[in-house]
Amino acid sequence: MGLQEQVVEGINGVLAPGWDIRNGQIVPETTDIALGNGAVRLDATYLYADMADSTGLAQGHHDWAAAKIIRCYLNAASRIIRARGGKIRSFDGDRVMGIFIGQDKNAHAAKAALNISWAVRNVINPALKKKWDSLQWTMGHGIGIDTGTAMLVRGGVHGQNDIISIGHAPSVAAKLSEIRSGNAINITAAVLQDLSDETRYTKGVDMWSSAGTHTYGSKSVTVYGTTYHWQP
């Protein structure tokens, strides 16, 4: 079979009628979802942590140094996401996605975000300056969090595929992680209203302030942001 026939056959297979959808109680691994028309519907909170200005970093510094710096961010973010109960299901360059489920999923995601901000300020940047005292670049980042129902499917072909999350929550969380004005962490109103007291307030002060309304597709999303951080 030639390549043209393989592509046609693959597309016809993807467009075959129906989905085999089940409701998930845990965050699935790739192999837990059938490659054909298998899908898992999950009530989850999505966190995207995205290191800022990786393009400027790569253009202004040696590739081996840039790689070390990006790995620092992904290493810290991944450890914190897992420690706070999140499951990592995707890496994209300098960005990592965590999925949180359960009754306290919003609080756990917010705590992870605050811990990551602490790590950037108090661990990573000081370590980078210590290693390269001539470094003229300072790490910044953005984290986006949204919650809702998502449909998880496998994308790709046999032997080369990964989980894709489809829905409002993963899409909006990814967009919020790209905001670079003021707040390092941005969450939706749906996340805010279900935070625990310890992830909402510090010494009686609300850590989250209104960051306006953003429009994604046909939906307007009320966003709240913070510059606070939290030592693990």
Side-chain angles (χ1 to χ4, degrees), residues 118 121 161:
W118 172 86
R121 296 184 188 191
N161 55 81

Side-chain angles (χ1 to χ4, degrees), residues 38-120:
V40 174
R41 189 163 280 130
L42 200 64
D43 182 20
T45 296
Y46 280 78
L47 178 154
Y48 275 85
D50 186 6
M51 194 189 83
D53 194 28
S54 57
T55 300
L57 174 65
Q59 291 177 347
H61 299 83
H62 295 293
D63 53 2
W64 50 264
K68 287 280 189 183
I69 292 170
I70 292 171
R71 284 186 62 194
C72 283
Y73 184 72
L74 295 178
N75 188 293
S78 297
R79 289 178 184 274
I80 290 168
I81 289 169
R82 290 194 306 182
R84 294 305 180 195
K87 303 296 183 182
I88 296 169
R89 291 295 181 266
S90 178
F91 289 94
D92 181 12
D94 57 4
R95 182 165 69 174
V96 58
M97 179 191 77
I99 306 176
F100 297 78
I101 62 173
Q103 183 176 357
D104 299 318
K105 57 186 181 296
N106 290 345
H108 291 158
K111 187 177 291 187
L114 291 162
N115 289 163
I116 294 169
S117 276
W118 172 86
V120 169

Side-chain angles (χ1 to χ4, degrees), residues 148-190:
T149 301
M151 180 174 167
L152 282 66
V153 301
R154 283 168 75 176
V157 296
H158 181 71
Q160 292 184 323
N161 55 81
D162 205 351
I163 290 178
I164 303 170
S165 293
I166 298 138
H168 184 270
S171 297
V172 170
K175 291 294 185 182
L176 295 181
S177 74
E178 299 170 358
I179 296 175
R180 296 291 182 262
S181 56
N183 299 313
I185 307 169
N186 287 281
I187 65 177
T188 61

